[in-house]
Amino acid sequence: MPMKAVFQRRLQKLKHIRGVQQPVFSLICMLLGISFTVWFTLLLVFIIVPAIFGVSFGIRRVYMKSLIKLFEWATLRMERGAKEKNQHLYKPYSNGIIAKEPVSLEQEIQEMRRGSAEPEFDMSDIFYFCRRGVESIVDDEVTKRFTAEELESWNLLTRSNYNFHHISTRLTALWGMGVLIRYGFLLPLRVTLAFTGVGLLVVLTSIVGLFPNGRMKNYLSDKVHLMCYRICVRALTAIITYHDSENKPKNGGICVANHTSPIDVIILASDGCYAMVGQVHGGLMGVIQRAMVKACPHIWFERSEVKDRHLVAKRLSDHVADESKLPILIFPEGTCINNTSVMMFKKGSFEIGCTVYPVAIKYDPRFGDAFWNSSKFGMVNYLLHMMSSWAIVCSVWYLPPMSRMEGEDAVQFANRVKAAIARKGGLADLLWDGGLKRGKVKEVFKEEQQKLYSKVLVGSSEDRSRS
Amino acid sequence: KKLNISHSQITRLYSRFHSLDKGENGALSREDFQRIPELAINPLGDRIINAFFPEGEDQVNFRGFMRTLAHFRPVEDNEKNKDLTSGEPLNSRTNKLHFAFQLYDLDRDDKISRDELLQVLRMMVGVNISDEQLGSIADRTIQEADTNGDMCISFSEFTKVLEKVDVEQKMSIRFLH
């Protein structure tokens, strides 16, 4: 009763002061207030509390299954539309668009000579280099790894559509609804969660940092880290499947994984506790880094220290030698690759001589492409893309631990681990350096090609007598 | 129209052209090509890149890109007997040979001189063969090919030397779809 009286009195007051529009305005305010409360309660119950305890309602998986059905329907409609107009849909093929024969230089040139006794120069030798060169212009193995993977069926996002003229009105309506849902509902939800997650991380790790060192502190630090990363995982609507959890990394080891985006860290750290390695940043990242290191020892390097390979190796070995410290998480590719291949692993982390726990991460690009093309998009732009996609779906495989074998050097060990990760994740195993994203290829590779050809030309016997 | 490429292949090549064009100005420069690692380590990489750029120009647009790539279309059987009034297609045996000839002919004067041959040989072998050996290889090659005694290889002499080689197969790139 008193509420109603108060409300009516207020209504009359407002009417006097500002005219008749006011009651509508205050009604809207009340509705907003109620919806906010409901919103936050739902958020708490369905997302934050499960995150704290590490359980899941399974809502995300249902969401994922319905999305798959939707995408398949959309592709069928587009194909039907294309057939009516008697055209073909553009279908991207990430396995290559031209037929490349895996014939080596020697094989091909000998073939051309047709077994003549003297391997002399022939004017037709140029054909091999010519064709190989033009093949690489049309389709090469490296440059396509640095742009987002193309999809076989459309996932109702403008950024991955190549068949604009085949979209019917029904599809456009669906796409429009998708935009509304993604930007109007999912994006604000995710941004709220992200802020909550990061905020809690900073605050709680600082609190844990006040405890004295010991088992209690480690226990609390683990729980706090896990909880905050789980909230962040929900902030991206990441649906992750972990395989072979019995191989999870243990203390005193190094965990290596293939790198696709900064989100890899969140994905791995929400299932286990790791010590992070990285450069000290300023701004928000710096605040987070400083807070995290209060709760448990992470390895942050100053910019100047990064260049000093010995210093880096020493700090990593010291950390690994201490059994009470968490396993280190490292991405040996050194840069983000688009998740269709694994590129050269830098040998630094493989020289330390401890157990290596390889992890393979494979994203399903249909729901949202996690690859960060750092030359095209900045971090904020990237996060916006992430949070306005449908979801991030990925699989994580924990591979059995590996150690360096007798007579194996760091580079061979690194390649062995890389091959295992590529095989498990279904990725192409490349020898090329991820640094080619930005830098030029080394001259020494060209010199190798020239050497090979000279051998064929001059004949191997002469070669031996010269050397 | 001499190009005779399917619609989907054109779309794919355009997508490739676009991804190579870092400056996004609708044309490729030499640096754009050199960014392809597999091309950069090809000993004749620079000569191949050069083949895309007409005399004196620094940019190649999509039309020029396609035109050069059209030389590498496989020769289909039913095309060999095609009516020649529409002009010889770019992927004919003669045109493929001409493309290779131009890789040797550095100054575009329609003759391969001893110097030019030496330079191209040097590109292909790097530092692994001595000057004298390379010189003798070049002399031998010119001797075998040269029929009119001018110590240079003209296009017709080039064609004659390679008449037994399966040029159509060696200089063709097959699309998968």
Side-chain angles (χ1 to χ4, degrees), chain A residues 258-271:
Chain A
N258 58 317
H259 201 27
T260 308
S261 91
I263 291 180
D264 292 341
V265 172
I266 300 179
I267 288 182
L268 287 179
S270 62
D271 192 46

Side-chain angles (χ1 to χ4, degrees), chain B:
Chain B
K1 281 301 157 213
K2 279 197 264 185
L3 296 178
N4 238 329
I5 298 186
S6 79
H7 180 78
S8 73
Q9 288 170 357
I10 297 181
T11 320
R12 223 170 288 288
L13 284 175
Y14 185 70
S15 168
R16 174 68 172 168
F17 179 84
H18 192 71
S19 70
L20 289 173
D21 180 12
K22 287 279 170 346
E24 301 206 347
N25 55 351
L28 296 177
S29 66
R30 287 192 167 81
E31 287 78 40
D32 287 324
F33 282 102
Q34 276 155 358
R35 228 176 269 119
I36 304 172
E38 285 164 38
L39 188 63
I41 67 169
N42 189 317
L44 293 176
D46 287 328
R47 293 299 306 150
I48 299 171
I49 295 174
N50 218 48
F52 281 83
F53 294 86
E55 187 74 49
E57 286 185 29
D58 280 331
Q59 301 271 318
V60 54
N61 59 11
F62 184 57
R63 203 181 171 72
F65 183 69
M66 290 270 285
R67 221 171 168 276
T68 316
L69 288 180
H71 285 95
F72 288 84
R73 255 191 74 235
V75 181
E76 264 107 70
D77 272 315
N78 53 6
E79 280 180 18
K80 285 194 183 139
N81 304 325
K82 209 166 159 189
D83 148 57
L84 288 172
T85 54
S86 57
E88 205 165 329
L90 282 168
N91 64 336
S92 69
R93 186 195 161 88
T94 318
N95 279 325
K96 284 187 204 282
L97 278 167
H98 196 253
F99 188 88
F101 182 78
Q102 281 181 320
L103 288 180
Y104 283 111
D105 185 10
L106 297 166
D107 56 4
R108 299 190 196 215
D109 64 352
D110 285 332
K111 300 205 285 283
I112 305 176
S113 68
R114 182 181 187 271
D115 246 349
E116 289 173 341
L117 187 57
L118 261 178
Q119 280 188 51
V120 175
L121 275 169
R122 183 52 75 194
M123 279 187 224
M124 291 203 267
V125 304
V127 299
N128 299 294
I129 297 187
S130 65
D131 277 331
E132 303 89 56
Q133 216 168 359
L134 218 58
S136 67
I137 292 178
D139 287 327
R140 208 169 27 220
T141 314
I142 294 187
Q143 227 173 15
E144 284 175 3
D146 191 18
T147 51
N148 65 353
D150 61 352
M151 301 307 273
C152 286
I153 306 180
S154 69
F155 183 55
S156 49
E157 289 164 355
F158 185 72
T159 316
K160 186 110 195 355
V161 171
L162 296 173
E163 64 186 351
K164 293 212 180 67
V165 179
D166 185 2
V167 178
E168 286 90 337
Q169 198 246 331
K170 295 283 174 232
M171 293 276 279
S172 292
I173 295 178
R174 201 169 44 91
F175 270 93
L176 283 171
H177 339 274

Side-chain angles (χ1 to χ4, degrees), chain A residues 6 88 94 104 117 130 146 159 167 185 204 209 240 298 310 313 370 377 392 404 422 444 456:
Chain A
V6 169
H88 284 286
S94 51
S104 74
C130 188
F146 300 132
R159 53 189 94 133
I167 302 179
F185 171 64
L204 289 176
I240 312 169
H298 296 285
H310 289 292
F377 305 113
I392 309 284
R404 196 154 77 168
V444 71
V456 174

Side-chain angles (χ1 to χ4, degrees), chain A residues 89-149:
Chain A
L89 270 185
Y90 172 76
K91 279 201 163 180
Y93 295 96
S94 51
N95 282 334
I97 58 177
I98 49 179
K100 284 191 196 176
E101 267 138 81
V103 189
S104 74
L105 183 118
E106 295 101 333
Q107 271 179 296
E108 178 136 346
I109 295 197
Q110 261 142 24
E111 224 178 81
M112 286 205 280
R113 302 276 169 74
R114 238 157 283 138
S116 63
E118 258 178 77
E120 242 183 55
F121 173 68
D122 197 292
M123 297 215 85
S124 61
D125 287 350
I126 205 176
F127 291 160
Y128 173 80
F129 291 112
C130 188
R131 195 186 72 244
R132 276 296 161 101
V134 178
E135 271 176 1
S136 65
I137 291 179
V138 176
D139 186 19
D140 80 301
E141 282 300 311
V142 184
T143 53
K144 66 185 180 193
R145 312 288 175 192
F146 300 132
T147 52
E149 190 184 351

